[in-house]
Amino acid sequence: LLHRWIMARASQQALSRAGTELYLDDLGGGGNAVPNEKLSAEKLSAEDAWISKCDLDAFAADIKALGKTLAAQQGDADVRHLNKIVCWQRACTALGVATMAMPLGPLPFNPIAVWFLSLGVLTRWTIVAHHVCHGGFDKCDTGGRYHRFTFGVGSVYRRCVDWLDWMLVEAWNVEHNQLHHYSLGEDSDPDLVERNLDNLRQMPALLAPVKYLVIAFLTVTWKWFYYAPNTFKVLSLNRMRREADPRLEKLSTQLQEDPCVVGDWHFLLGPSSLFFSNVEFFVRVLGPFFTTRFLLLPAAAAAAAA
């Protein structure tokens, strides 16, 4: 309820020019606030009853003031911290590449290299790219390198230099920054796990071993199996809405909200073919990361070790 109230208070002018972020400076009075009386009238659970007694206007003012205070404190120290994290991230990747071709006992691979490479990828995503794509460094002097509107977008080169992962950066910006954060825990949240895994949750207890096997599979594949195609589907839907694509009339709300995974489409005949083609997905989305991490880097490491 509180999340919905805050979102209702934000006008369309509070959105950035990319339509993916909310500026606290633009949150003012008025708008479509939900009055406390209405909240009091609703049937609230015991753990949510506090909101009917909360001064929502004062809470919004506190959040606005905090945002302004923190924004005013941004500066060179934040840039230095970002550069430090970037150096650690690059060091992890470099160590992973350096140890990739080193044998480790009878193992067919080097787990040390796997650990460092994965840590480099994870750090680049969750600490660097996540904060940059949310606009965390837009007002800092980074020479334009770490700005939400240029970071990893516009070309394969920028993606490879700034943030190369299984997901297309533009797709992740729309799916995560816009739909996920503006609809947290709601049906329109594309990352609503309990809905996305509803079929698994509804399985009878007798099939519990199957549930564990599915979860084990998703644990090690979810980013390319689910996240990459689903974010790309969201980007495609976003483009279709902007262009008033007539195909949208054929897409039910459920089809638009259902998760998209690799295997949902076959030779352009499945439901996902309405959003993108196999060639477009595998070449544009998965191709750069797969080619770089699973072909070029191992080949270079093997050649250096030979």
Side-chain angles (χ1 to χ4, degrees):
L1 288 173
L2 182 59
H3 168 73
R4 291 180 180 177
W5 179 85
I6 294 174
M7 289 300 100
R9 288 291 299 268
S11 66
Q12 288 299 320
Q13 287 73 27
L15 298 179
S16 72
R17 61 187 172 91
T20 60
E21 291 292 337
L22 185 67
Y23 282 123
L24 288 173
D25 290 347
D26 294 326
L27 284 175
N32 300 314
V34 178
N36 278 31
E37 339 36 292
K38 183 176 179 181
L39 292 174
S40 302
E42 293 182 4
K43 294 181 179 179
L44 298 173
S45 58
E47 62 269 21
D48 292 331
W50 62 270
I51 198 173
S52 64
K53 304 174 183 178
C54 178
D55 187 340
L56 299 178
D57 290 317
F59 177 78
D62 289 344
I63 293 296
K64 180 182 177 182
L66 177 62
K68 287 185 175 181
T69 299
L70 295 177
Q73 294 174 358
Q74 282 190 298
D76 293 340
D78 298 281
V79 177
R80 289 195 299 270
H81 177 73
L82 172 63
N83 290 331
K84 180 180 70 174
I85 298 300
V86 169
C87 286
W88 278 109
Q89 177 265 319
R90 289 174 176 169
C92 289
T93 301
L95 283 170
V97 174
T99 57
M100 189 183 297
M102 294 181 181
L104 193 65
L107 296 176
F109 64 94
N110 189 330
I112 296 177
V114 172
W115 190 84
F116 275 114
L117 285 170
S118 63
L119 185 59
V121 171
L122 181 67
T123 302
R124 192 69 180 184
W125 172 32
T126 59
I127 303 180
V128 179
H130 178 271
H131 299 7
V132 172
C133 291
H134 271 301
F137 296 92
D138 284 2
K139 297 180 181 180
C140 294
D141 184 11
T142 62
R145 174 70 187 278
Y146 298 103
H147 194 286
R148 80 175 91 176
F149 297 130
T150 60
F151 187 79
V153 301
S155 67
V156 176
Y157 171 76
R158 283 259 58 93
R159 183 182 175 191
C160 291
V161 170
D162 293 336
W163 177 27
L164 182 60
D165 210 321
W166 287 114
M167 306 86 67
L168 187 68
V169 181
E170 293 90 338
W172 189 80
N173 282 341
V174 173
E175 192 270 359
H176 179 80
N177 295 0
Q178 191 172 14
L179 296 185
H180 172 63
H181 275 291
Y182 280 84
S183 305
L184 286 171
E186 299 177 3
D187 288 338
S188 53
D189 181 357
D191 296 332
L192 191 61
V193 178
E194 54 266 42
R195 182 204 59 217
N196 292 346
L197 294 179
D198 183 66
N199 290 337
L200 193 67
R201 294 170 59 228
Q202 298 302 326
M203 283 186 179
L206 184 64
L207 297 178
V210 176
K211 291 186 178 183
Y212 284 110
L213 287 175
V214 172
I215 293 301
F217 170 78
L218 292 176
T219 299
V220 295
T221 65
W222 70 273
K223 194 186 281 189
W224 63 263
F225 180 74
Y226 156 71
Y227 216 31
N230 202 58
T231 53
F232 195 47
K233 168 195 170 182
V234 168
L235 178 66
S236 300
L237 273 170
N238 183 270
R239 182 178 63 248
M240 293 169 71
R241 293 189 184 104
R242 291 199 314 268
E243 298 173 354
D245 194 315
R247 291 180 297 172
L248 277 174
E249 299 178 0
K250 303 177 182 178
L251 305 178
S252 65
T253 300
Q254 180 178 352
L255 185 58
Q256 295 182 44
E257 294 180 350
D258 279 348
C260 173
V261 299
V262 172
D264 270 353
W265 70 101
H266 305 281
F267 305 105
L268 312 185
L269 298 178
S272 295
S273 63
L274 296 170
F275 310 115
F276 52 80
S277 68
N278 283 299
V279 173
E280 186 181 17
F281 173 70
F282 285 105
V283 173
R284 185 183 176 193
V285 181
L286 296 187
F289 186 78
F290 177 82
T291 301
T292 302
R293 289 307 177 105
F294 294 90
L295 297 179
L296 296 182
L297 279 183

